[in-house]
Amino acid sequence: MNTGPAATNKPVATSGPTSANSAVATDATAIVNIASLVTNDPSLGEGTPLGLIRDAAVVIEGDRVVWVGESSKAPATDNRLDAGGRAVIPGFVDSHSHLVFGGDRTAEFNARMSGQPYAAGGIRTTVAATRAASDDELEANLVRHLGEALRQGTTTFETKSGYGLTVEDEARALRIAARHTDEVTYLGAHIVSPDLADDPAAYVALVTGEMLDACAPYARWVDVFCEKGAFDGDQARAILTAGRAKGLVPRVHANQLTYGPGVQLAVELDAASADHCTHLTDADVDALAGGSTVATLLPGAEFSTRAQWPDARRLLDAGVTVALSTDCNPGSSYTSSMPFCVALAVRDMGMTPDEAVWSATAGGAAALRRTDVGRLTPGARADLVVLDAPSHVHLAYRPGVPLAARVLRAGRTVAAVPTGHP
């Protein structure tokens, strides 16, 4: 079921005033002189999935959008911000990251890029560093990465546990994350803990029992790495089912390294997303197209590991809803840049610029089952990015260039470049 750029018959519901004649408080703020505005509402503007409005304006009251339309028709407000002929897009929605961790894996990356074998332990290296870090160190590292992402336009993010793998360490990771986002995911089932490497069944029992009890109060989601060398289909089903019984909604690391049961298990359990989706059979694609599970693609991982790129074109043409996310983590995708992921998706995964921007905003919102973010329509949260460019296409056209001139979250400027920009 595609709600992405290939489907124009399923606009997101909006509420609130939509025309210049509707009541707007005079103390609202109007952002005017926008060269092109991405609303992600296909009923607006040019009738494309991006709902693109040229020479546009956005009016904000408090933390909400209350009006969008042509700049010349914007209602009178006390406050006006001139976008200076720049483009405006919704804030990026990063629906998959691993930001509570200690240490880094520079040596592993350097060895991999140098063509050398590396056997320092991968995820286990980060587990050891995370366990050794203090709460303050873990939180400071999280905040640093969040600030980095925010300056590039990410206004909503999800993050996971998964680098503690003990009851205490998983719970504290989620407790720290919950202080900074509502989108917190319990990933005790990242790998089998080194402490129980010889008894995977005992670790699954821990993940579905005492660890789940300690972690569920801090989380909204439950995740599992369903992959050879991590958890098989039966183990993944048991973990996700236990999490769901505690009120957590499933999402799945699925089909990243090999073909496997992860994608179809995600659809079977009505998971919000199946993430990675690199190795897919026709049956996997059909299952995604027939269900409500979003396929979240993580091009930073393929870039960092020189692995096979996911085939976004195949998914989109089948009618699958696709999201883009960073997978920011210290081992396989150490980037917090959603613009970078947009550029990779266009260059190497068969997406158009329009599709990639939709997937990095509205697609991410769909993967988090959110309707208040990822769009700029009346009633939505006022999360937006003023780009130092006349079009959203520049995100792919000028890769690596810092284009976020101003970032607003909930109607408040949270990042801006020096004087000379809007």
Side-chain angles (χ1 to χ4, degrees), residues 154-237:
T154 298
T155 52
T156 302
F157 77 96
E158 177 269 2
T159 200
K160 310 175 191 296
S161 64
Y163 291 127
L165 309 186
T166 68
V167 172
E168 179 182 355
D169 286 304
E170 287 295 292
R172 73 166 178 151
L174 296 176
R175 186 171 61 247
I176 290 167
R179 292 200 281 262
H180 299 276
T181 181
D182 293 331
E183 304 299 345
V184 178
T185 300
Y186 167 49
L187 183 60
H190 200 179
I191 60 170
V192 175
S193 170
D195 308 319
L196 291 169
D198 296 329
D199 194 353
Y203 187 66
V204 171
L206 181 67
V207 168
T208 57
E210 182 184 356
M211 188 184 289
L212 174 60
D213 291 340
C215 290
Y218 304 107
R220 181 184 178 198
W221 309 97
V222 58
D223 199 347
V224 60
F225 189 17
C226 183
E227 188 68 61
K228 184 178 181 180
F231 298 91
D232 65 25
D234 290 339
Q235 292 168 327
R237 179 180 282 102

Side-chain angles (χ1 to χ4, degrees), residues 32-393:
V32 299
N33 194 16
I34 299 170
S36 61
L37 172 67
V38 173
T39 68
N40 286 335
D41 184 341
S43 71
L44 299 176
E46 299 176 352
T48 66
L50 290 187
L52 200 66
I53 303 175
R54 308 284 181 179
D55 189 18
V58 176
V59 179
I60 298 167
E61 285 183 22
D63 65 352
R64 297 285 152 176
V65 174
V66 295
W67 188 94
V68 297
E70 296 177 12
S71 197
S72 62
K73 299 177 182 178
T77 61
D78 289 343
N79 307 303
R80 291 174 85 81
L81 176 66
D82 189 339
R86 294 173 174 85
V88 170
I89 65 171
F92 295 116
V93 181
D94 190 348
S95 61
H96 183 127
S97 72
H98 305 249
L99 298 181
V100 185
F101 65 88
D104 74 10
R105 281 149 66 185
T106 304
E108 176 185 335
F109 178 81
N110 188 46
R112 190 164 61 233
M113 294 299 109
S114 302
Q116 301 169 9
Y118 184 80
I123 291 173
R124 290 170 179 82
T125 302
T126 302
V127 169
T130 303
R131 289 179 179 181
S134 69
D135 287 14
D136 287 346
E137 289 169 335
L138 293 176
E139 186 155 22
N141 195 46
L142 170 66
V143 169
R144 179 171 66 86
H145 287 96
L146 294 182
E148 189 178 88
L150 187 64
R151 291 189 295 273
Q152 298 175 85
T154 298
T155 52
T156 302
F157 77 96
E158 177 269 2
T159 200
K160 310 175 191 296
S161 64
Y163 291 127
L165 309 186
T166 68
V167 172
E168 179 182 355
D169 286 304
E170 287 295 292
R172 73 166 178 151
L174 296 176
R175 186 171 61 247
I176 290 167
R179 292 200 281 262
H180 299 276
T181 181
D182 293 331
E183 304 299 345
V184 178
T185 300
Y186 167 49
L187 183 60
H190 200 179
I191 60 170
V192 175
S193 170
D195 308 319
L196 291 169
D198 296 329
D199 194 353
Y203 187 66
V204 171
L206 181 67
V207 168
T208 57
E210 182 184 356
M211 188 184 289
L212 174 60
D213 291 340
C215 290
Y218 304 107
R220 181 184 178 198
W221 309 97
V222 58
D223 199 347
V224 60
F225 189 17
C226 183
E227 188 68 61
K228 184 178 181 180
F231 298 91
D232 65 25
D234 290 339
Q235 292 168 327
R237 179 180 282 102
I239 291 163
L240 296 171
T241 302
R244 193 166 60 179
K246 283 286 187 179
L248 306 182
V249 181
R251 46 199 329 111
V252 184
H253 281 61
N255 299 53
Q256 177 187 3
L257 305 176
T258 58
Y259 295 96
V263 163
Q264 294 197 47
L265 177 63
V267 174
E268 174 194 329
L269 297 181
D270 192 29
S273 65
D275 298 17
H276 288 289
C277 294
T278 307
H279 299 275
L280 300 178
T281 65
D282 289 345
D284 294 330
V285 175
D286 290 344
L288 287 165
S292 61
T293 298
V294 174
T296 300
L297 307 184
L298 310 169
E302 281 70 39
F303 176 87
S304 184
T305 61
R306 290 179 173 162
Q308 173 184 321
W309 296 101
D311 188 348
R313 183 80 271 134
R314 179 187 183 193
L315 290 164
L316 290 165
D317 289 348
V320 177
T321 301
V322 172
L324 286 176
S325 188
T326 64
D327 191 18
C328 187
N329 75 83
S332 62
S333 183
Y334 201 9
T335 179
S336 59
S337 176
M338 289 289 280
F340 176 62
C341 292
V342 166
L344 290 180
V346 172
R347 170 63 179 80
D348 292 305
M349 289 164 43
M351 300 184 88
T352 68
D354 282 14
E355 289 167 339
V357 169
W358 190 96
S359 294
T361 53
L368 294 176
R369 295 187 171 170
R370 298 276 295 270
T371 58
D372 61 325
V373 296
R375 60 188 178 93
L376 290 173
T377 54
R381 197 171 75 181
D383 293 356
L384 60 88
V385 185
V386 181
L387 298 176
D388 195 14
S391 167
H392 64 279
V393 177

